[in-house]
Amino acid sequence: EVQLVESGGGLVQPGGSLRLTCVVSGFTFSDHAMNWVRQAPGKGLEWVSSISSSSNYIYYAASVKGRFTISRDNAKNSLYLQMSGLRVEDTAVYYCARYGSSWADPNFFDYWGQGTLVTVSS
Amino acid sequence: EIVLTQSPGTLSLSPGERATLSCRASQSVRDHLGWYQQKPGQAPRLVIYDASNRANGIPARFSGSGSGTDFTLTITSLEPEDFAIYYCQQRSTWPVTFGQGTRLDI
């Protein structure tokens, strides 16, 4: 069974930092590109970042570029999102989501984690 | 950035009825459009990919159609578990974008 489990969310002050982790199981992690997608409370979905299977290709949404860093450790079946310079508007549930292929080019998200809530507030 | 506009915002139907949800793109996305279902407190679930292909485990009552800028998700004979929010998403052009969602209510 494919599973993606996020952790690391919480309350942080504006300007602060947070690191999210997604641990996966049930599939060969190193064969798939991975993503972070977020959803502000009561709002729609927003793609945040993508990383190819071997970390060769990385992409960010304009809203987070320069502040967030995506990375992965294929030996640990883990995906990360290092967030810094956090803003109130970054408040959202952050989902880890899998692409069906190894490429980080735009694709569909075929499996999702349950999400972790990040709240940016003073 | 491609803007996806979904209509209606809310669709109120009863079990057994047919649901038709629309998604319009601000420019052509060819057939590179998908649909997701999201229930309260849950992650989205891929329903349709590349306009008309059902994802793994999706019942045959779900179907997708369209190409270019106009797309439709049809659910024939609604089941109670189908009531949720549905989002469309395009993978044609950077960045990936989503529609604002259609709430399917009983």
Side-chain angles (χ1 to χ4, degrees), chain A residues 39, chain B residues 6 8-13 19 21 35-45 47 61-62 73 75 78-88 100-106:
Chain A
Q39 186 171 36
Chain B
Q6 294 186 238
T10 301
L11 185 58
S12 296
L13 294 170
L21 289 66
W35 294 89
Y36 297 85
Q37 175 193 71
Q38 187 177 32
K39 298 179 182 180
Q42 296 186 18
R45 177 190 184 191
V47 175
R61 63 181 181 273
F62 289 86
L73 174 67
I75 312 171
L78 284 163
E79 296 287 342
E81 62 267 26
D82 299 336
F83 292 91
I85 299 175
Y86 290 83
Y87 295 95
C88 58
Q100 84 281 13
T102 289
R103 180 184 301 273
L104 180 54
D105 277 346
I106 293 180

Side-chain angles (χ1 to χ4, degrees), chain A residues 39 43-45 47 59 95 99 104-110 112-113, chain B residues 33-34 36 38 42-44 46 49-50 87 89 91 94-96 98:
Chain A
Q39 186 171 36
K43 302 297 184 183
L45 300 164
W47 167 78
Y59 305 102
Y95 294 103
Y99 270 165
D105 293 336
N107 208 330
F108 299 112
F109 308 99
D110 61 354
W112 299 63
Chain B
L33 188 110
Y36 297 85
Q38 187 177 32
Q42 296 186 18
L46 181 64
Y49 65 94
D50 286 340
Y87 295 95
Q89 176 232 318
R91 70 170 187 93
W94 285 106
V96 162
F98 293 88

Side-chain angles (χ1 to χ4, degrees), chain A residues 9-91:
Chain A
L11 175 63
V12 61
Q13 292 188 336
S17 298
L18 212 54
R19 189 195 199 204
L20 306 183
T21 298
C22 172
V23 178
V24 313
S25 60
F27 67 97
T28 303
F29 183 61
S30 58
D31 284 348
H32 291 268
M34 297 295 295
N35 306 269
W36 291 98
V37 178
R38 68 184 180 183
Q39 186 171 36
K43 302 297 184 183
L45 300 164
E46 179 187 16
W47 167 78
V48 173
S49 183
S50 299
I51 185 169
S52 62
S53 59
S54 56
S55 305
N56 288 345
Y57 297 93
I58 288 174
Y59 305 102
Y60 298 98
S63 57
V64 307
K65 195 169 187 178
R67 300 187 298 123
F68 290 11
T69 301
I70 191 172
S71 62
R72 64 190 293 162
D73 185 335
N74 287 348
K76 295 183 177 180
N77 284 353
S78 294
L79 175 73
Y80 307 101
L81 186 67
Q82 179 68 47
M83 303 184 294
S84 61
L86 282 161
R87 305 167 180 167
V88 171
E89 55 267 33
D90 294 320
T91 295

